[in-house]
Amino acid sequence: KFAMSLSALVLEHAEQVAREAKHVRVCEEAGDQAAAMILEGAAKTQFSLQNWQQHELHPKNPTDETLDWLFVLDSLNFSFWSASSQLFTVDFRGKSYTGYWSLVAAINRALDEGIPLTTPSFYASITDEQMAHIFRSSSSEPAPLVAERAAVLRQSGKIMMERFGGSFLNCISQCKGSAQALLSFVVENFPSFCDKAPYHGKQVWILKRAQILVADIWGCYQGQGHGAFSDIDSLTMFADYRVPQALVHAGLLAYTPALTATLLAGEVLASGDEREVEIRACSIWAVEVLRRAIVRAQPASTWNAVMLDFYLWDFAKSNGAALAALPIHRVRSIYY
C-alpha cells in the first residue's frame, strides 16, 4: 500500500525532476498566456468531456462489458509511432487508421471478426501469432512490439482469471467510486501498468497507462455509473510522446538545442534515458502549471489535468502540420 495517493506521488516526483532537469525546462512564466490560448481554443471548438465519446471508434452506449474493452485498450495503449515514413495502418470498415486510432481500430476489427479479444479467458492464452493477425497492417510498416503486447495481455488475463473472476467489473466494484483507489488497485495487481523510471538515483513514478485507464472510464461513461469518480481531479496528465509536442508548441516546455537536434534526427532514446524521463516528468509538471494558471484566470473553472491532457492530445493530432517541425521523442516501451 502507498502512503500517499499515487497521483500525488507522480506530481511530487514531476516537480522534483522539473527542478533538477538539464535538458528540458518547464516555462512557468508562459502559464498565463498558454491558459488564455487554451481557454479560447476550447471555447471555439466547444470542447468538453463529450469529445471522448464523439470519436468515431470509441464506445457510444457503454455497458458493464465495456469495462473489459477499456482494460484491453489501455493494456495495449503504448508505442504507436512508426519508424519509417510509412505508418503502421489498420483498415477498418472502409477507413484507414494510424497512431492510437490504429489500436482502437484493431481491437474493434478483431471483435467484428468474432475474435473475443476483450474476454480475459481468451487473452490469458493469446499467442504471438494471434496478436500479429489482430494487429496486421495494411501498409508496409508492421505494428511495433507485437510479442510484447501479447505478453502483456497474457499476464493480465491470467491475473484477471485467477484473482478477479475473469472480469474487470470485479476490480472496479472494489474501488467504490475513487479514482485513486482504482489507480492503486491496477498498479498493485497488474505489473505492466507499473510505469516508473530511474532518475538521479531515485525512482520516479509516471503511471501513464494506469491513469489514462481511469480517465478513459470517466470519459466513456461520461462521469456517470462506473465512471463516477469523486476524486477524478486528483489525476495528473498522461505522459506520452504526443502531448509534450503540444506543450512545446504552447510555450510551456522548452528543450535544449542539443536535445532538439537529437529528436529532429529521429534518434531513438533508450527507455529510462535521463532525457526521456525529463520530457515525461516535465510534461506532467507543465500541465499542472497550466491547470493552476487556468484556475487563476477562471476560479470557477472545472478544468482538471485529465481534460487538459485530452484537449492537448486532440490539438496535437488535429494540428499535425503546424506541429510537424516540433519533434516527438522516440522510445520503444510498453509504458506509453
Side-chain angles (χ1 to χ4, degrees), residues 35-96:
M37 183 179 84
I38 282 163
L39 288 170
E40 183 186 348
K44 270 187 194 157
T45 57
Q46 295 185 306
F47 184 81
S48 75
L49 187 59
Q50 290 180 326
N51 285 59
W52 195 99
Q53 270 196 344
Q54 287 162 0
H55 287 297
E56 62 184 347
L57 296 178
H58 279 166
K60 300 294 175 278
N61 299 294
T63 63
D64 286 355
E65 284 70 40
T66 311
L67 291 170
D68 286 313
W69 185 93
L70 290 162
F71 183 79
V72 167
L73 173 79
D74 286 320
S75 293
L76 300 177
N77 189 354
F78 56 85
S79 203
F80 283 98
W81 57 269
S82 291
S84 72
S85 56
Q86 279 289 313
L87 303 180
F88 164 61
T89 305
V90 170
D91 288 348
F92 176 60
R93 295 184 182 171
K95 287 190 177 179
S96 297

Side-chain angles (χ1 to χ4, degrees), residues 19-208:
R19 300 284 174 255
E20 294 178 29
K22 296 186 292 216
H23 310 280
V24 182
R25 189 168 80 83
V26 177
C27 307
E28 302 203 14
E29 69 281 1
D32 292 335
Q33 189 177 350
M37 183 179 84
I38 282 163
L39 288 170
E40 183 186 348
K44 270 187 194 157
T45 57
Q46 295 185 306
F47 184 81
S48 75
L49 187 59
Q50 290 180 326
N51 285 59
W52 195 99
Q53 270 196 344
Q54 287 162 0
H55 287 297
E56 62 184 347
L57 296 178
H58 279 166
K60 300 294 175 278
N61 299 294
T63 63
D64 286 355
E65 284 70 40
T66 311
L67 291 170
D68 286 313
W69 185 93
L70 290 162
F71 183 79
V72 167
L73 173 79
D74 286 320
S75 293
L76 300 177
N77 189 354
F78 56 85
S79 203
F80 283 98
W81 57 269
S82 291
S84 72
S85 56
Q86 279 289 313
L87 303 180
F88 164 61
T89 305
V90 170
D91 288 348
F92 176 60
R93 295 184 182 171
K95 287 190 177 179
S96 297
Y97 299 93
T98 60
Y100 164 78
W101 297 113
S102 66
L103 163 65
V104 192
I107 293 171
N108 290 344
R109 178 176 66 180
L111 294 172
D112 266 16
E113 292 173 349
I115 301 168
L117 179 58
T118 59
T119 304
S121 59
F122 169 78
Y123 64 73
S125 56
I126 195 168
T127 65
D128 291 4
E129 292 71 27
Q130 285 171 314
M131 194 61 102
H133 170 75
I134 289 163
F135 279 94
R136 64 192 182 277
S137 180
S138 61
S139 75
S140 59
E141 179 76 6
L145 304 180
V146 169
E148 288 83 353
R149 292 180 205 283
V152 162
L153 275 195
R154 281 194 297 271
Q155 181 188 58
S156 288
K158 288 187 178 103
I159 293 166
M160 199 77 82
M161 294 301 294
E162 288 165 8
R163 298 185 199 168
F164 307 116
S167 170
F168 190 47
L169 175 61
N170 294 330
C171 304
I172 297 277
S173 56
Q174 293 187 37
C175 297
K176 299 186 171 47
S178 166
Q180 289 305 317
L182 180 56
L183 180 62
S184 293
F185 188 96
V186 168
V187 171
E188 286 167 12
N189 286 288
F190 299 98
S192 82
F193 284 94
C194 192
D195 172 14
K196 53 187 177 177
Y199 186 75
H200 296 181
K202 56 182 179 282
Q203 288 290 314
V204 170
W205 288 79
I206 297 176
L207 299 181
K208 183 256 181 172

